C-alpha cells in the first residue's frame, strides 16, 4: 500500500505498544494519543461552565460547541455543523431523536426496521408502541445455498415493504455481526422512488453507521439521508456519539428536548438535553485529525480508500481459512457473506455446528487461555438477527466475532488463524 503506512498508523495508538492483539474493535477501538492529549488539555486548561464571557469559558465553549461539531461534520460530509448532535452513545442519540419526532407521528404510520443492532430498532419499536404506528421488518436472507447463515440485507427485499403509509425507514450501513456493507445510496434512492410512486407523503430515513464509520467514509449528502449516527469510541476516539440530522428535517419534524425557555428550535442543540461530556466532545477532534493525517493530502476520502484497501488484506486470509473445505467439513459456518470484496469489512463472525459442534464461548475461552488476543462471543445487541438465524443457535452463546480495523496487521491475522486451527482440531 503506497498510500497507507501501517507502522505510522500504529504509532498513534499507545495501547498497541503492549503487543496485545485487539480483535474486538467492533465493540470499541483503541484511541489515539491525540485524543488522550485533548481530554487532558481540556480538563486541565478549560474545565469550566460554557457560555460565560470570561476568557477560559469562551475557549471552553469554542472547543466543545464550535470546533467539535465542525470536525464531526467532516466525517458525515454534513452541510453544516448545526446538523450535528452529540450524546453519550448512539443508542441515546436515537432514543432522543425518536422522542423529538413523536409529535410528528400519527397512528397508522408505518416504520420499516431491521433485525440489526437494537440501537436503530428499539427506539422505533417504542415510538410505534406510543403512537400506534405499524412496524415492518426488513430481514436479512442467505447469499449462498449451502450456508443458511450467510445472510445479508438485499434492497429488492426492502421495496415490497414500502406502502403509501411508510413514514420511517431505519437500517444499518454495515452490520456489526455480518460485516456486510449495505449499498445505502442505492437503497435510499430506490426506497424514495418507490415510496413516491405508491403515494407516501413523508418518508424519513435513519441509517446506523456505527459499524460502518471505522471502515468507510459516511456521506449523508450523497446518500440523501435524514438521520445518521456513529460512535466515536469505535472510530478511534472517546466514548461519545455523533448524530446527523438534516437541517430541513430538524426544523420541520422534531420538537426540542431542551428546557422550554431556551430558544434553540433551529439548531441541533434542541436534541441535546443536558449537553454531552464536553471534554469528550472536544477530544473527538483528535480522532478526525488523526484520520486526516493518514494520507499526505489530508483528504478523508483518500484516507478511507487506503483503509479499505489495507483491510482487504486482513479479510482475505481469515475468510479464506474459515470457508476452506476442511473447515466447512468441520462444521464452521461464516455468519454473513463469505466472499472477499470491498462490500465487506473485517468484522467476521462464525459458528461451529454439525456432528461435533463447539460452543462459541468455548472458542473464545481457548483464545483467553492462550492470552494476548481479545475476541468475543455473543449476540452483540443484534439480538433479533441472531435469534432468527436458521438452523437455530443458542442466543446466549451467539456467534464468535473477530473484528479488525486498519491498525491490525496481517501477522496478527496469521496468529489468530494459528489458534483457530488448534481449536478446530478438537
Amino acid at each position: 500500500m503506497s498510500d497507507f503506512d501501517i507502522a505510522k498508523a500504529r504509532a498513534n495508538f499507545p495501547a498497541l505498544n503492549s503487543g496485545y492483539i485487539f480483535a474486538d474493535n467492533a465493540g470499541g477501538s483503541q484511541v489515539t494519543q491525540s485524543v488522550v492529549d485533548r481530554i487532558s488539555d481540556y480538563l486541565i486548561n478549560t474545565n469550566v461552565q460554557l457560555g460565560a464571557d470570561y476568557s477560559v469559558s469562551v475557549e471552553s465553549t469554542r472547543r466543545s460547541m464550535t470546533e467539535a461539531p465542525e470536525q464531526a461534520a467532516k466525517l458525515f460530509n454534513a452541510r453544516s455543523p448545526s446538523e450535528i448532535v452529540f450524546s453519550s452513545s448512539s443508542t441515546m442519540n436515537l432514543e432522543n431523536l425518536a422522542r423529538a419526532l413523536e409529535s410528528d407521528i400519527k397512528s397508522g404510520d408505518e416504520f420499516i426496521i431491521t433485525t440489526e443492532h437494537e440501537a436503530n430498532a428499539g427506539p422505533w419499536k417504542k415510538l410505534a408502541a406510543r403512537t400506534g404506528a405499524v412496524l415492518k421488518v426488513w430481514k436479512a436472507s442467505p447469499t449462498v445455498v449451502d450456508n443458511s447463515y450467510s445472510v445479508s440485507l438485499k434492497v429488492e427485499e426492502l421495496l415490497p415493504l414500502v406502502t403509501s403509509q411508510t413514514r420511517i425507514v431505519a437500517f444499518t450501513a454495515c452490520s456489526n455481526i455480518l460485516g456486510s456493507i449495505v449499498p445505502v445510496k442505492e437503497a435510499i434512492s430506490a426506497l424514495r422512488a418507490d415510496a413516491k410512486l405508491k403515494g407516501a407523503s413523508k418518508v424519513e430515513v435513519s441509517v446506523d453507521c456505527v459499524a460502518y464509520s471505522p471502515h468507510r467514509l459516511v456521506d449523508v449528502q450523497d446518500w440523501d439521508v435524514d438521520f445518521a449516527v456513529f460512535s466515536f469510541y469505535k472510530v478511534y476516539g472517546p466514548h461519545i456519539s455523533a448524530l446527523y440530522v438534516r437541517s430541513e428535517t430538524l426544523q420541520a419534524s422534531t420538537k426540542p428536548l431542551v428546557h422550554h425557555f431556551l430558544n434553540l428550535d433551529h439548531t441541533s442543540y434542541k436534541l441535546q438535553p443536558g449537553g454531552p461530556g464536553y471534554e469528550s466532545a472536544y477530544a473527538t477532534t483528535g480522532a478526525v485529525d488523526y484520520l486526516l493525517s493518514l494520507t499526505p493530502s489530508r483528504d478523508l476520502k483518500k484516507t478511507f480508500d487506503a483503509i479499505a484497501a489495507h483491510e482487504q488484506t486482513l479479510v482475505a486470509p481469515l475468510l479464506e481459512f474459515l470457508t476452506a473445505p476442511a473447515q466447512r467439513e468441520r462444521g464452521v459456518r461464516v455468519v454473513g457473506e463469505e466472499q472477499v470484496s470491498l462490500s465487506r469489512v473485517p468484522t467476521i463472525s462464525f459458528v461451529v455446528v454439525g456432528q461435533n459442534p463447539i460452543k462459541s464461548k468455548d472458542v473464545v475461552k481457548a483464545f483467553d487461555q492462550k492470552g494476548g488476543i481479545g475476541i468475543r462471543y455473543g449476540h452483540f445487541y443484534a439480538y433479533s438477527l441472531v435469534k432468527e438465524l436458521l438452523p437455530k443457535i443458542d442466543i446466549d452463546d451467539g456467534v464468535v466475532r473477530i473484528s479488525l480495523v486498519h491498525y491490525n496487521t496481517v501477522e496478527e491475522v496469521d496468529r489468530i488463524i494459528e489458534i483457530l486451527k488448534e481449536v478446530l482440531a478438537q
Side-chain angles (χ1 to χ4, degrees), residues 4 7 17-18 43 47 74 82 90 92 97 108 114 144 148 215 257 265 286 307 312 321-323 330 364 393 396 422:
F4 186 74
N17 294 331
S18 67
L43 292 174
N47 190 36
K74 295 177 181 178
S82 66
S90 291
M92 182 59 73
L97 174 63
T114 72
V144 294
S148 61
H215 310 284
L257 301 178
D265 198 48
I307 284 174
Q312 289 300 289
F321 170 76
L322 290 170
T323 58
R330 176 64 184 81
V364 173
I393 63 175
D396 294 321
E422 294 179 22

Side-chain angles (χ1 to χ4, degrees), residues 13-133:
F13 295 89
L16 301 185
N17 294 331
S18 67
Y20 195 87
I21 299 175
F22 293 95
D24 183 31
N25 295 287
S29 68
Q30 297 307 300
V31 301
T32 65
Q33 184 65 54
S34 58
V35 168
V36 175
D37 290 343
R38 280 169 171 78
I39 291 176
S40 177
D41 182 17
Y42 186 96
L43 292 174
I44 291 171
N45 297 308
T46 57
N47 190 36
V48 298
Q49 183 60 292
L50 307 185
D53 294 333
Y54 58 90
S55 61
V56 178
S57 180
V58 170
E59 176 60 7
S60 179
T61 304
R62 185 198 66 77
R63 285 177 160 190
S64 59
M65 302 300 290
T66 301
E67 186 177 353
E70 283 177 351
Q71 294 302 303
K74 295 177 181 178
L75 291 183
F76 286 108
N77 190 29
R79 287 177 300 173
S80 168
S82 66
E83 297 177 311
I84 306 301
V85 183
F86 285 107
S87 188
S88 58
S89 68
S90 291
T91 297
M92 182 59 73
N93 253 328
L94 289 168
E95 285 282 3
N96 286 340
L97 174 63
R99 286 175 56 213
L101 286 166
E102 186 163 343
S103 64
D104 201 55
I105 303 298
K106 62 183 184 297
S107 179
D109 283 349
E110 294 178 357
F111 298 171
I112 301 173
I113 62 173
T114 72
T115 58
E116 294 285 351
H117 195 292
E118 196 68 12
N120 197 30
W124 307 115
K125 293 177 185 177
K126 286 177 274 189
L127 179 59
R130 294 195 300 268
T131 61

